[in-house]
Amino acid sequence: MKFHILTIACLVSFLTQAQDLFPFQLPKEKPAQQLSAAMERNYSQYLAPRPEHNELFSKFKYTKLKGFDYNDDDGTISRRDPSKVIFENGKYYVWYTKRETVSPPRGAKLSTDVIPSSDWDLAEIWYATSEDGFTWKEEGVAIPRPEKPNVGWRSVSTADILKWKGKYYLYYQGFMEASGKRGDDCPVTVSYADSPNGPWTPTHKIVIPNGQENAWDQYSIHDPYPLVYKGKIYLYYKSDFDGNPNLVRMQGLAMADDPLGPFEKHPLNPVLNSGHETTLFPFKEGIAALAIRDGNEHNTIQYAKDGVNFEIKAITSFMPAAAGPYVPDAFNSNGNGRGITWGLSHFINVTTWNKNHSALTRFDCDLSLDVNDPEMKKTGLYLKPDIYYSQGLSAKQRKRIEEENKKLKK
């Protein structure tokens, strides 16, 4: 009897331990057992436990665009910061910052009325159209610099598009001084038109003002990015703050019932603690965001069911800089956002910094509920050694290491 009782006890103990072991086949649903923090997070934080099943995970691939001339990359022509891409009149439209100056940027101290301080100084907003998203036709200036002292007399840049009740609105930064003299003081203004081809009527008014003194956005409102969400205009933006010793970049939100305002900033701003540029799109009942470059949560794709309280849903790499995606339902998702598959972005390091300029490029991805592209869901990214070596140690770092080695030999 004792032998049988012992055998049963051992069997129960074995089965209990076996039940506690995490299974070899990764379950699609969270198993009913105690989990480590990492495995708990794998089921509670992400949309799926495997990245290839996560609708908010994707790789990004890039294609060089046709139709844009850069004057042999001498730094006198720059195109950057594309808007969202929209489809109207049987073709795609995009707006972007274009600088065409007598020289490349020379910094704030050397800037003049014709010599730019930065890549986005002395710029205008141009637009282009395309039949296929790869070859583009530059159509001309959409928003020229207005006469002084109107908002943007020094430079207009970083536009984004809104379609609202049959009219079109371009929101953009308006500089009243050369960039870099204080810290990119540039509130947001807006122009409107009856057609994406213009003509555009400027309001010459500030629609998203800088924050009050000591507020996080007191000096800059960058990258205005409008979406229509729950019947209201949600305009996301970036601001630079802190600056001790480096600027911190986060994202805020302002809302309005009318494209011309008034816009009310959300009391929980900043709503994203990371990201150099502002790129968002409707997704399911909420809003998804690409947190690009800066901050603790850089290289993440995030989601907010309410458009405000964002949470990390994927971690990726090679994210597009200043992405302007093609968002078919940017203005009419009605709580059923379908996601994105492509758009335009820019490269800022086209050549050497003494010929500093940016170039537009196309990116593709699978962040769509309507597409299943397994190639975009692979996590491996294999780069040639030269790519890694190009990110090598600086002269200052090498000197520090040499000094450390000398101390060890004493």
Side-chain angles (χ1 to χ4, degrees), residues 87-93 128-137 139 342 362:
F87 190 80
E88 298 284 330
N89 305 320
K91 53 190 173 183
Y92 299 108
Y93 284 76
T129 60
S130 175
E131 301 288 338
D132 61 4
F134 293 93
T135 299
W136 292 82
K137 177 186 177 184
E139 300 286 359
W342 71 277
R362 175 184 168 119

Side-chain angles (χ1 to χ4, degrees), residues 261-376:
F263 279 86
E264 180 180 353
K265 294 181 181 178
H266 199 280
L268 294 183
N269 278 348
V271 297
L272 279 160
N273 67 21
S274 302
H276 188 93
E277 287 88 16
T278 306
T279 302
L280 304 99
F281 53 92
F283 188 80
K284 296 186 176 180
E285 66 266 46
I287 302 291
L290 305 185
I292 304 162
R293 286 181 54 184
D294 293 333
N296 280 330
E297 295 176 357
H298 66 284
N299 285 347
T300 63
I301 300 172
Q302 304 198 17
Y303 176 69
K305 185 178 289 188
D306 60 359
V308 175
N309 293 286
F310 287 87
E311 297 178 342
I312 296 172
K313 295 301 177 184
I315 301 169
T316 186
S317 56
F318 267 36
M319 298 184 80
Y326 171 52
V327 189
D329 54 5
F331 316 126
N332 61 353
S333 65
N334 298 317
N336 184 31
R338 306 310 297 171
I340 62 172
T341 59
W342 71 277
L344 301 190
S345 59
H346 70 210
F347 295 126
I348 63 172
N349 55 344
V350 177
T351 183
T352 56
W353 282 108
N354 66 331
K355 297 180 180 179
N356 180 26
H357 68 291
S358 301
L360 298 177
T361 185
R362 175 184 168 119
F363 72 88
D364 282 83
C365 61
D366 177 6
L367 295 171
S368 170
L369 297 173
D370 301 319
V371 171
N372 181 23
D373 188 342
E375 289 187 59
M376 292 296 187

Side-chain angles (χ1 to χ4, degrees), residues 48-240:
R50 298 180 65 92
E52 61 265 36
H53 299 152
N54 185 346
E55 294 285 5
L56 280 179
F57 169 77
S58 181
K59 293 176 68 172
F60 295 89
K61 296 190 175 185
Y62 297 87
T63 305
K64 189 172 183 177
L65 297 178
K66 296 180 180 179
F68 294 120
D69 173 66
Y70 291 92
N71 210 20
D72 294 325
D73 292 325
D74 67 355
T76 61
I77 297 178
S78 180
R79 295 179 184 87
R80 57 180 294 138
D81 296 308
S83 70
K84 291 187 297 295
V85 177
I86 66 172
F87 190 80
E88 298 284 330
N89 305 320
K91 53 190 173 183
Y92 299 108
Y93 284 76
V94 70
W95 291 262
Y96 48 89
T97 304
K98 182 180 180 182
R99 173 183 58 79
E100 189 166 359
T101 51
V102 298
S103 76
R106 297 303 184 203
K109 292 182 179 179
L110 297 179
S111 64
T112 68
D113 289 343
V114 295
I115 297 175
S117 67
S118 63
D119 196 25
W120 51 90
D121 189 27
L122 298 177
E124 296 176 313
I125 295 165
W126 286 54
Y127 78 111
T129 60
S130 175
E131 301 288 338
D132 61 4
F134 293 93
T135 299
W136 292 82
K137 177 186 177 184
E138 192 160 64
E139 300 286 359
V141 179
I143 309 293
R145 283 183 284 146
E147 293 184 358
K148 192 175 183 179
N150 288 309
V151 178
W153 67 265
R154 175 70 192 190
S155 188
V156 289
S157 68
T158 321
D160 214 295
I161 186 73
L162 167 71
K163 184 178 180 180
W164 177 269
K165 297 181 179 179
K167 289 185 178 291
Y168 302 84
Y169 298 83
L170 279 174
Y171 298 87
Y172 50 94
Q173 297 167 214
F175 287 84
M176 274 82 82
E177 63 180 356
S179 177
K181 287 194 171 181
R182 195 235 42 90
D184 287 358
D185 186 0
C186 51
V188 171
T189 187
V190 62
S191 293
Y192 56 90
D194 292 325
S195 164
N197 296 303
W200 295 89
T201 301
T203 62
H204 297 306
K205 294 180 180 179
I206 296 172
V207 293
I208 308 291
N210 291 358
Q212 64 188 36
E213 187 176 358
N214 294 323
W216 75 287
D217 56 0
Q218 67 173 327
Y219 288 131
S220 60
I221 304 290
H222 292 178
D223 303 358
Y225 191 98
L227 296 170
V228 176
Y229 182 60
K230 294 183 177 179
K232 296 175 71 73
I233 299 162
Y234 274 49
L235 196 151
Y236 295 89
Y237 65 91
K238 177 194 79 181
S239 188
D240 301 330

